[in-house]
Amino acid sequence: MSGLFAVLLVGLLSISGPAFAQDAEPDKSVVSAPAELVDPAISTEVFAYRLIPLTKDELDPLATAWLGIVQSKTTEISARQVALLEDPSAATDAAYQAIARMVEERAGLFEHFTMTVNAFESKGGDAALVAELRAYRDSVLFYETLLASPKAIAIAFFSWLTRSDGGLAIAKDLGVVILAFVALLFVSRSARGLARRWIGRVPNMSRLLEAFLVGAVFWLVIAVGLLFVLAALGVNVTPLFAMIGGASFILAFAFQDTLGNLASGLMIMINRPFDEGDYVLVGGVGGTVRSVSVVATTVNTPDNQVIVIPNKNVWGNVITNVNASETRRVDLVFGISYEDSIPDALRVIEDTVKAHPLVLAEPEPVIRVHELAASSVNFVCRPWTKTADYWTVYWDLTHRMKVAFCEAGISIPYPQQDVHIRMTEA
């Protein structure tokens, strides 16, 4: 429709006055072509299929025949335009609209003419003849546009807007598209809700994979629905599939890194090394996983920075999932002075650890003398707690141990060095 409208406007721009004229004599070359293929009333779809089996030799007279048809219609339009110039008193809106209808009819004829010339060229037709035929079409449109009058433009445009097969048809199609898109949004959201409920029943499925599948259902419903709407409006969607197939082959090379991230994202969702809400260490970054798209993983650091990591860098590195287990061991080291009692220190550490309400009884905490360091005797303290309570236990025990050592009279030495000076007689 848009192509025909463009040709219609170009032709209408050339109108410089109202017209009535004699019909031109039909071109004699039409007789040399099959009657069913030179019928101006033949539909574009039927005409396209009938062109397929024709050979170069059969298309040659057919192209010449269609040249005669469009020339005859152009002669008729030109005669009416000349009549308008010679008799300005006949410049009525009805005369302009009559020429507008003629130009639109010729637009359909030009479409068949162009299809014939293209088929003739693709099957090895004479290049000089092809150039001559196309030059005629381009010249007609160019000079009609050059001679266009402002009044003709305005009348043609407003006439087209009010016609049922012109502006009103496009407005109707736009309305259908808008309503269909709103309906598709409703249907796709409903499908997304149903998919979320159905996928939620699948055991051991990560939230990341669930979110990906639900989103895929949403966009798939919209894409398929749009194709059905376009097909219902008469748009040929077959070339879209061919275009997508060819473009996907090219894009596969152009977006190799993106495809690598996509494959890595799918591996993360399927193998589930972590899930949404887990605290992970990966690629030198530690944070809570907020989301995983098809190309990147988004994490929030403890200081609330948002870091986006390409999935290829995530899957290709060592992944540490802090939240993978329900319990976690807290590793602490406490030092006492060499002058303090080791048994007293062990008792204080054990009592402090057992008194903490978040420390688990099983597994039993490990408390041992670990190292005779340069400035202190170091003890390891390794209690177990729930993963969510890790930092609470870590900070609480550090605080309580300092207080308990002070109450028991046990010192916590700071790094120091003894210097011995030996005096010798000269």
Side-chain angles (χ1 to χ4, degrees):
M1 172 67 73
S2 60
L4 294 178
F5 175 54
V7 176
L8 170 62
L9 285 181
V10 170
L12 289 177
L13 294 178
S14 65
I15 304 174
S16 56
F20 29 77
Q22 305 90 1
D23 292 340
E25 289 291 331
D27 196 283
K28 301 301 182 182
S29 62
V30 174
V31 181
S32 63
E36 66 274 10
L37 292 180
V38 292
D39 181 8
I42 188 172
S43 68
T44 303
E45 292 79 7
V46 173
F47 189 74
Y49 278 108
R50 290 190 178 275
L51 287 178
I52 295 175
L54 299 184
T55 64
K56 175 186 66 175
D57 294 335
E58 293 171 320
L59 288 168
D60 190 344
L62 183 62
T64 305
W66 275 104
L67 174 63
I69 293 174
V70 296
Q71 182 184 11
S72 176
K73 179 60 70 173
T74 302
T75 302
E76 182 181 354
I77 294 172
S78 298
R80 288 181 178 251
Q81 292 170 336
V82 171
L84 290 177
L85 291 174
E86 294 176 348
D87 186 9
S89 62
T92 63
D93 291 347
Y96 283 112
Q97 292 171 0
I99 295 181
R101 286 190 295 270
M102 295 173 60
V103 173
E104 184 177 2
E105 292 175 5
R106 191 189 60 181
L109 301 179
F110 262 132
E111 184 177 10
H112 290 73
F113 171 70
T114 302
M115 293 170 62
T116 306
V117 174
N118 291 341
F120 180 55
E121 180 186 31
S122 65
K123 294 179 180 179
D126 182 19
L129 178 58
V130 170
E132 180 182 345
L133 295 172
R134 286 178 175 165
Y136 176 82
R137 178 198 61 189
D138 297 340
S139 177
V140 168
L141 298 178
F142 173 77
Y143 282 106
E144 285 186 347
T145 303
L146 189 64
L147 297 174
S149 66
K151 184 177 181 180
I153 296 174
I155 291 180
F157 179 70
F158 286 111
S159 174
W160 175 85
L161 282 180
T162 56
R163 289 174 52 187
S164 59
D165 58 344
L168 293 179
I170 291 182
K172 178 182 176 182
D173 291 343
L174 287 176
V176 170
V177 170
I178 293 173
L179 291 176
F181 186 73
V182 173
L184 281 175
L185 284 178
F186 175 78
V187 172
S188 59
R189 288 177 178 175
S190 301
R192 180 173 60 184
L194 292 174
R196 182 179 286 110
R197 286 194 292 271
W198 180 80
I199 294 174
R201 299 175 183 175
V202 179
N204 301 323
M205 177 174 288
S206 68
R207 284 173 290 178
L208 296 175
L209 182 58
E210 178 182 344
F212 173 76
L213 293 177
V214 169
V217 169
F218 176 81
W219 291 110
L220 183 62
V221 170
I222 288 183
V224 174
L226 285 176
L227 289 177
F228 275 110
V229 171
L230 292 175
L233 292 175
V235 177
N236 186 10
V237 297
T238 303
L240 289 177
F241 292 100
M243 181 181 66
I244 292 172
S248 61
F249 181 77
I250 297 173
L251 293 176
F253 291 96
F255 296 98
Q256 294 184 37
D257 290 341
T258 302
L259 293 176
N261 289 325
L262 171 61
S264 298
L266 293 176
M267 294 298 293
I268 292 172
M269 295 175 187
I270 294 173
N271 290 280
R272 297 186 304 166
F274 53 79
D275 206 344
E276 183 179 338
D278 289 348
Y279 190 91
V280 298
L281 301 172
V282 59
V285 176
T288 303
V289 178
R290 189 170 74 177
S291 65
V292 175
S293 68
V294 294
V295 295
T297 298
T298 303
V299 299
N300 280 12
T301 61
D303 57 348
N304 204 31
Q305 296 183 58
V306 178
I307 299 179
V308 179
I309 312 171
N311 285 334
K312 186 170 61 175
N313 294 343
V314 175
W315 187 248
N317 281 281
V318 176
I319 301 173
T320 302
N321 188 346
V322 177
N323 299 104
S325 301
E326 293 183 1
T327 60
R328 188 177 174 189
R329 191 181 72 185
V330 183
D331 291 350
L332 297 167
V333 177
F334 301 108
I336 66 172
S337 173
Y338 274 94
E339 287 77 20
D340 293 324
S341 170
I342 290 179
D344 291 345
L346 287 172
R347 176 180 53 78
V348 171
I349 296 174
E350 290 174 358
D351 293 344
T352 304
V353 170
K354 290 179 180 179
H356 199 290
L358 298 180
V359 173
L360 301 177
E362 293 292 337
E364 186 177 353
V366 175
I367 302 172
R368 297 288 187 273
V369 177
H370 177 63
E371 182 184 16
L372 299 177
S375 303
S376 62
V377 178
N378 293 335
F379 295 81
V380 292
C381 176
R382 295 176 177 175
W384 289 79
T385 186
K386 292 183 178 179
T387 301
D389 300 328
Y390 175 86
W391 288 109
T392 302
V393 172
Y394 187 97
W395 292 325
D396 280 357
L397 286 181
T398 302
H399 174 82
R400 294 185 183 191
M401 207 64 66
K402 174 63 170 67
V403 175
F405 278 172
C406 289
E407 292 176 350
I410 299 173
S411 62
I412 300 177
Y414 50 84
Q416 55 187 300
Q417 185 176 6
D418 292 337
V419 178
H420 300 273
I421 301 176
R422 181 176 297 178
M423 302 295 293
T424 59
E425 296 182 359

